[in-house]
Amino acid sequence: MDRNRIEPLFAAAIIAGASYYANYWLEAGGIAAIVWKGLGVGLLALWARGKAVNQDGRIIGAVLALGALGDVLLELHGFTIGGVAFMAGHLLASYLYLRHRRLPAANWIAPPIAAGVAVLAWYLFATLPNPELLGVYVFGLALMTASAMLSRLGALVAAGALLFFASDWLIFLRMGPLAGSPIPQLLVWPTYFAGQALIAWGAVHALRGEKAIA
C-alpha cells in the first residue's frame, strides 16, 4: 500500500462521516438520515477489513463494524440497544489492544483504571436514568481507552480512543449538567467520528507493519 496516498474507500468514509455533521442544522430524519449516519464508520469498517492481512486486522474491521451498527441502532432503538453494540466493540477492541500491549502488566493495569472511571461516572451521573447501566457501559469504554493507550498500535489509535471517550462523555453531560447547552451537541459527532477515523487509520497501518502517516 502506498502510505502517502489516501485510498478512495477511506476518502469516501471521511466524506460521508464529515458531511453528516451538517445534519445538526439540516435535521434530516427517516431511513436516509440513519443510513447517512452509519455510512462513515461503516465504510471505515469495509476499508479496514479489506486491508486485513491477519486475524487482528479482521478484528479491527469488526470493531468498526460494531461502531457503525451502534450508530444505526441508537437511531432505531435508543441508547440501551445501541449501547450494547458499542459495548461489544469496546470489549473486542480492548482484547485486540491488550494483545499488542507495550507493558507486560497492561492486562492488570487497564481493568482497575476502567473500574475507577466507571465508579466516577456512576457517581457524577447518578441522576440520569439507569445509572447502573451507564456505569457498566463506561467500564467498557474506559477499558477500551486505557487498553489503547497501553498498546503498541501507536499514538493515532490512542488519540482516537481518547476522542471516542470524550464524545461519549459529552453525551452524558448533554443528558445531565449541560442539558440545553449547544456545546455538547456541536462536539459529539466530530470527536466521535474523528476518533473512529484515527483508530481505523492507525490500527490498520500498525497491524500491517507500516508507519501510519498522520
Side-chain angles (χ1 to χ4, degrees):
M1 177 169 54
D2 183 348
R3 290 170 288 175
N4 295 303
R5 180 169 66 90
I6 302 296
E7 297 186 3
L9 187 56
F10 187 88
I14 297 302
I15 292 168
S19 66
Y20 183 74
Y21 188 47
N23 204 38
Y24 174 79
W25 294 276
L26 296 175
E27 297 182 340
I31 295 299
I34 294 171
V35 171
W36 187 12
K37 183 179 183 182
L39 190 59
V41 179
L43 290 175
L44 288 176
L46 287 175
W47 174 78
R49 180 63 179 82
K51 293 299 174 187
V53 294
N54 53 31
Q55 182 63 28
D56 287 346
R58 290 187 285 273
I59 288 176
I60 197 64
V63 168
L64 292 162
L66 286 166
L69 178 62
D71 289 333
V72 171
L73 290 177
L74 281 177
E75 299 300 317
L76 291 175
H77 300 292
F79 282 102
T80 300
I81 302 300
V84 170
F86 281 115
M87 182 70 167
H90 295 330
L91 295 177
L92 186 59
S94 299
Y95 165 77
L96 174 64
Y97 299 154
L98 291 175
R99 274 173 54 85
H100 296 270
R101 58 191 178 275
R102 283 187 290 110
L103 301 173
N107 287 350
W108 304 104
I109 295 172
I113 292 174
V117 175
V119 171
L120 176 63
W122 177 83
Y123 174 78
L124 291 176
F125 304 111
T127 59
L128 296 183
N130 301 313
E132 298 83 2
L133 290 178
L134 185 145
V136 171
Y137 174 79
V138 169
F139 174 82
L141 174 68
L143 182 65
M144 179 276 294
T145 307
S147 300
M149 296 179 70
L150 292 168
S151 81
R152 294 183 286 105
L153 295 184
L156 293 182
V157 173
L162 284 169
L163 284 172
F164 198 142
F165 182 92
S167 177
D168 275 356
W169 210 260
L170 285 166
I171 291 174
F172 307 147
L173 290 171
R174 184 179 64 189
M175 296 188 295
L178 295 183
S181 169
I183 295 175
Q185 187 70 11
L186 285 169
L187 295 178
V188 164
W189 183 257
T191 51
Y192 165 73
F193 186 73
Q196 292 281 43
L198 288 174
I199 288 169
W201 184 257
V204 163
H205 283 83
L207 292 170
R208 289 172 61 93
E210 300 169 346
K211 181 180 178 181
I213 306 299

